[in-house]
């Protein structure tokens, strides 16, 4: 006990020591420590941004799909541009830019 009398009474308080140990455990050693939580928060932000991007893409594709169902000119445009289709008696020339 003589050893403990050298320290101030605040540092030998069992409740304070237990509280400090608990905070240290929760910050550094627990499975859900502070660093893991901040990593998960950043991952959640990335996933939310990805979700917003894909929802926007879905809305765009729904609009495009609806246009294809209702507009025959859009179907022809898609066939000509993407699949290089042509009408009978029509010449098709593909011009590509030279790569550097």
């Amino acid at each position: 006990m003589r050893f403990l009398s050298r320290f101030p009474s605040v540092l030998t308080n069992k409740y304070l020591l237990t509280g400090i140990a608990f905070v240290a455990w929760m910050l550094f050693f627990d499975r859900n420590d502070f660093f893991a939580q901040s990593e998960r928060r950043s991952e959640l932000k990335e996933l939310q941004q990805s979700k917003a991007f894909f929802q926007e893409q879905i809305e765009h594709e729904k609009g495009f799909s609806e246009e294809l169902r209702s507009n025959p000119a859009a179907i022809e445009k898609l066939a000509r541009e993407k699949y290089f289709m042509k009408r009978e008696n029509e010449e098709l020339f593909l011009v590509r830019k030279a790569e550097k």
Side-chain angles (χ1 to χ4, degrees):
M1 287 294 179
R2 289 181 73 193
F3 179 70
L4 293 177
S5 65
R6 293 181 189 167
F7 297 106
S9 64
V10 174
L11 296 178
T12 58
N13 186 344
K14 63 183 174 182
Y15 299 109
L16 179 66
L17 293 175
T18 304
I20 291 172
F22 176 75
V23 168
W25 181 266
M26 295 307 286
L27 283 177
F28 301 109
F29 303 113
D30 193 42
R31 183 178 67 142
N32 296 318
D33 62 354
F34 175 75
F35 304 107
Q37 290 296 328
S38 63
E39 197 174 302
R40 288 184 185 121
R41 262 188 234 106
S42 65
E43 185 179 343
L44 178 64
K45 283 183 183 179
E46 289 176 16
L47 289 173
Q48 287 173 339
Q49 289 173 350
S50 176
K51 179 183 175 184
F53 171 75
F54 286 118
Q55 283 179 334
E56 183 180 312
Q57 289 295 321
I58 288 171
E59 290 302 318
H60 178 267
E61 294 299 323
K62 281 183 182 178
F64 182 68
S65 174
E66 188 62 37
E67 184 180 350
L68 285 178
R69 282 191 212 116
S70 63
N71 189 359
I75 295 172
E76 183 178 349
K77 179 181 177 188
L78 176 72
R80 286 176 171 270
E81 291 177 358
K82 188 170 183 177
Y83 299 109
F84 306 115
M85 294 183 169
K86 62 179 186 134
R87 293 183 180 159
E88 282 190 36
N89 301 325
E90 187 176 63
E91 296 285 330
L92 182 65
F93 297 98
L94 298 177
V95 179
R96 295 187 185 201
K97 293 181 181 178
E99 295 182 16
K100 293 182 179 180

